[in-house]
Structure formats: structure tokens, C-alpha cells
Amino acid sequence: MSHRGSRVLRLDALARVEGEAALHLAVRDGTVAEARLRIYEPPRFFEAFLVGRGHGEPPDITSRICGICPVAYQTTACQAIERACGVTVDGPLAQLRRLLYYGEWIESQSLHIHLLHAPDFLGHPSAVELAREHRAAVERGLRIKQAGNAIMEQLGGRAIHPINVRVGGFYHVAAPAELVPLADRLRRAHDDALETVRWVADFDFPDARYDGPFLAMRDPGRYAIDSGTPAVMAAGAGSDGATPVRALPVEEFERHVVERQVPHSTALVSELDGHHYLTGCLARYALSGQWLHPSALDAAREAGLGDPATGAVCRNPFRSIIVRAVEVAHAVAEALRIIDAYEPPSRPYVAVPPRPATGCAATEAPRGLLYHRYAMDADGTLTLARIVPPTAQNQAAIEDDLRRQVQSRLDGPGEPPGDEELTALCERAVRNHDPCISCSAHFLDLTVERG
């Protein structure tokens, strides 16, 4: 094909991501002039129609934002409302919440690893083709996912959009005997998860590096998921063994993370103190890797991720599949620990009486930090709702990653890449970040403009 003049390539859809979007790539004189991730899904308006609802309603409503990570939305909504009302949920109820969240981590991360991401590394267009050659690996991934689903069904009432979660706790809590079958499945899943780490560690990984800031929750002594404080690791930090980190109190989140509208996307684009940044598994591993469960930490070292206790940081987005596999191993081990120590709470929930106040909270959804803020009046009617999802936060960093990946290939040896090769490269680069596009406003209609 000729690389002079202009050329447009259109793809109707990108497989193996959650949602739909488009990518516009402009290459002029051998230089990537533009890379725009165009999220064109209609705005969801969840923030608008939460206004006027009662303060107990956000967990059920916001869980509908995503069928893959509903627990993240429920947990963050609950915590924000509870903080506004001056209520703390702790003890066994907090442990059950974390267990439910681990169930989501297990099912969501396993789905991405085995069905969405692994085909990229093994040369298959889908998980169906992958299963023909790697049947045992795919079946292993499905077993792990089923263990996560079982946790969500037991504690949440169902695996998708759980119905047992409420502000203050749960409508019903499990008896210890009801968790025994979960423990049996999780013990098998733990072996499967460690084997998955070994499996993905043997993939071939292109050279790539993200040097921007990381943003993730941090809770010293614990690999943060539903607790802690947002924290930032500076651009380029961590590679020399030093890990300078600054806390960003959740009450100050919106002073530092600013959303803006761009013409090419229905999702708002976020900047952290004026710069794009990355949230998600690479950020979590950089900021909290030293507090992984010992079995997961050993697996990370054996997989070549280095020792986060000495400042090792993974900045190659292609290797994110290893980090996610390590996180699954961690989640399974921690879920087992919670079940083994479980004692039922005296009551299924703590009362959360309304008051005129504002509350905010952040937790770690599988795809990254999720922030909620709510204001209410004296009778608990919501007067404001603000939700900042992970994929919208990552949009600018993904675009920058695309520019760098394509430019590196254009500058490399050999014949200039054709549209088919560039398309495959861009799809892989986007899938490294496991975007949940419907949360952010679905991929891929790709336009390549050459000149």
C-alpha cells in the first residue's frame, strides 16, 4: 500500500473489551500527529438522576453502571454516604464487605486475563480459538472466575448487580457454615491462580514503558482495595528503588483531579494536577505491592516483577497481565483468610440516619480508583452526586500510550507498518489497560489517517 496522501481504515468493533468506542489515528510524514480515543456511547446520566433520591438508594442504582464491577460502585457509594452521616462500618461487617469485593476482583480479573487479554499474546483472535490450543488454561481461568462469582452470589444475592448490599452493611449476613463451600472452592482456586501467574509470566512481552504518575489507594500494611487514602507516585519514580509517594486525602480529590470535556468523547477526561496519569493494577502494585499476601508476593517475584518491598515497579503496560494474575492470587488468599476467621456480626447492618452533610469515598475497582461524592439534606434527599470512574481517568494516558506505541513501531526497522498491523497494535495497547468503557460514559471503530 502507499503511505503517501491519506488513507482511512474503519473497523466496526474491537473485540475483547467491555463496551464500544472509536480510535482516530493520524500519521503524517512518519509521525503520529494525533491519537484520540473517542468514547461515543451516550452519556449515562447517573449523577443527574441520583439527585432527589433517598440516601439509601445509591448502592442499588450505581451498581447498574457496570455489570462487571457492580460491587465497586456499591461499596464506594455506601462509604461515601456513611461518611456523610458520620457512621463507621467495621468489624465483621467490614470483613464481609471486603470478602464481597474480593469476589468481584477474582471474577473480573480472571475474565480479563483468560478471555480478553491472553489471546493477544498467543496469537488467537478470541478465547474460543485460544481454548482449542490451551484448553486447560481457559478451563482453569473459568474455575477461578466461578469461585469469584460464588462469593458474590452468597454474599450479594446474585453475581451481577448484587441485591443484598445496603448502606450500613447487608440485608442478610451468612452463617459460618454457609461459607464452608466457598472456602473449598477458593482452595482449589488458589492453586489455579498461582499456576496462572506462572503461565502468563512465560508470555513474550514487547518493550514498552509508562513514565507518568500513578494514582491508587494506599493503606500501609494492606494491599488497598476498600480502605486507605488516595496516593500518587511521581512520574518515572520507582525504577531506582526509591518510591516517593504523596498522600492525596480523599476530601481533596477534586482539587487535584480535574475533569474536562473534550470534543471527541462523551466521557470526561481527567488530569491530575494538570497531567495525565494512570490508575489500575500497575499503580496499585507500585504503591502497595509490598503488602501483597505472602503467596502472591512470592509469585510476583518468581514471575519476574521484582520485589516491591525494595522499590520494584512494573511500568510496562503489556506486563499488566502478570500483575492482574498476581492480584487474583492475592484476592483468593485473602478471601480464604477472611472466611477462616469469620464470626457473624451481631446484626446485619449499622443504622445510618441522615443529616445535612457531604461525604466522599474512594475504593479500588478492578480497573482502578473509583471516587464518589454525595450531598444530602436533613431528610436524606440527595442534592448532589459526583462519580469519577477509572477508565475515564485513564483515557488521556491510554491515548498517550497509543501515540508512543505506534511511533515506536513507525521508527523501528523494516517496512513501514500497514493499517492491519497498526490496528492490531492499537487494540493490544488498549486492552493492556482493560478499559470498561460503559463505566466511563464501548471500542473499536478505528480510523487511520495518513498524510
Side-chain angles (χ1 to χ4, degrees):
M1 60 171 283
S2 171
H3 292 270
R4 291 176 294 181
S6 62
R7 183 178 179 87
V8 174
L9 172 66
R10 298 184 184 279
L11 297 176
D12 291 334
L14 168 68
R16 293 185 276 125
V17 296
E18 197 291 313
E20 301 169 5
L23 175 66
H24 178 87
L25 186 67
V27 179
R28 300 186 181 96
D29 297 326
T31 299
V32 180
E34 207 170 22
R36 298 199 308 262
L37 182 61
R38 185 172 66 86
I39 295 174
Y40 57 79
E41 208 170 292
R44 308 287 295 285
F45 299 119
F46 274 87
E47 293 164 311
F49 61 68
L50 279 164
V51 174
R53 309 303 290 259
H55 78 303
E57 295 186 72
D60 287 326
I61 293 174
T62 61
S63 78
R64 268 64 179 179
I65 292 174
C66 184
I68 297 175
C69 50
V71 174
Y73 285 91
Q74 290 184 316
T75 302
T76 315
C78 285
Q79 291 188 356
I81 295 293
E82 289 155 6
R83 287 181 180 175
C85 297
V87 172
T88 299
V89 175
D90 54 14
L93 284 175
Q95 292 296 309
L96 282 176
R97 260 191 192 166
R98 186 169 295 121
L99 178 59
L100 178 61
Y101 214 146
Y102 280 136
E104 178 167 279
W105 264 36
I106 293 165
E107 65 86 12
S108 176
Q109 302 280 53
S110 297
L111 182 151
H112 177 76
I113 292 165
H114 295 87
L115 303 186
L116 308 182
H117 207 183
D120 282 338
F121 296 94
L122 298 172
H124 295 286
S126 74
V128 175
E129 286 77 9
L130 178 68
R132 294 192 179 105
E133 186 175 336
H134 300 273
R135 183 182 182 90
V138 173
E139 290 180 341
R140 182 173 64 237
L142 292 175
R143 283 196 304 270
I144 300 170
K145 185 180 186 305
Q146 288 165 356
N149 285 348
I151 294 174
M152 295 176 69
E153 290 168 0
Q154 178 63 59
L155 300 184
R158 60 188 186 192
I160 300 175
H161 307 316
I163 55 175
N164 191 37
V165 176
R166 59 167 291 165
V167 172
F170 298 87
Y171 291 101
H172 166 81
V173 294
E178 294 177 291
L179 301 186
V180 171
L182 294 181
D184 294 339
R185 298 186 76 151
L186 287 167
R187 291 187 184 95
R188 172 69 181 275
H190 189 239
D191 292 337
D192 284 337
L194 294 176
E195 181 58 33
T196 295
V197 177
R198 291 188 284 268
W199 179 56
V200 299
D202 283 337
F203 291 170
D204 290 327
F205 299 101
D207 289 331
R209 182 176 174 84
Y210 168 77
D211 275 321
F214 283 135
L215 174 65
M217 299 296 289
R218 196 167 193 259
D219 189 6
R222 173 184 292 163
Y223 198 81
I225 173 170
D226 64 339
S227 61
T229 301
V232 179
M233 178 177 285
S239 59
D240 58 357
T243 54
V245 173
R246 64 180 175 93
L248 191 161
V250 70
E251 294 80 9
E252 299 178 10
F253 183 85
E254 292 178 65
R255 300 180 195 171
H256 297 272
V257 175
V258 177
E259 294 182 301
R260 59 184 175 87
Q261 184 70 61
V262 294
H264 61 271
S265 177
T266 55
L268 298 175
V269 173
S270 298
E271 291 183 341
L272 172 65
D273 296 325
H275 303 282
H276 66 73
Y277 62 99
L278 196 64
T279 187
C281 66
L282 295 184
R284 288 191 294 261
Y285 186 77
L287 287 154
S288 299
Q290 60 187 306
W291 298 304
L292 284 162
H293 186 278
S295 62
L297 187 55
D298 287 343
R301 296 187 187 108
E302 293 170 6
L305 291 176
D307 188 347
T310 61
V313 173
C314 177
R315 286 188 172 272
N316 184 341
F318 288 97
R319 293 171 69 85
S320 64
I321 193 171
I322 307 178
V323 179
R324 288 190 180 91
V326 168
E327 289 191 330
V328 172
H330 168 82
V332 173
E334 283 293 299
L336 274 168
R337 181 190 60 77
I338 291 173
I339 291 173
D340 289 343
Y342 175 64
E343 295 183 3
S346 58
R347 51 183 177 175
Y349 63 89
V350 176
V352 184
R355 66 180 186 181
T358 298
C360 54
T363 71
E364 284 288 338
R367 291 161 182 83
L369 189 146
L370 171 64
Y371 170 84
H372 287 216
R373 177 166 62 93
Y374 300 101
M376 71 184 78
D377 60 20
D379 68 358
T381 300
L382 298 184
T383 59
L384 176 146
R386 183 76 179 275
I387 300 171
V388 185
T391 294
Q393 295 180 68
N394 283 340
Q395 184 174 347
I398 294 173
E399 291 175 335
D400 182 68
D401 192 25
L402 287 165
R403 279 190 291 269
R404 288 183 288 105
Q405 293 290 337
V406 173
Q407 191 63 59
S408 177
R409 177 61 188 90
L410 292 173
D411 294 340
E415 290 293 318
D419 290 347
E420 184 176 352
E421 182 181 346
L422 287 182
T423 296
L425 175 62
C426 290
E427 290 180 337
R428 289 192 68 181
V430 170
R431 278 192 289 266
N432 286 337
H433 301 282
D434 188 20
C436 186
I437 295 166
S438 61
C439 280
S440 66
H442 291 230
F443 201 99
L444 180 77
D445 183 7
L446 173 66
T447 300
V448 179
E449 178 185 320
R450 300 177 184 270

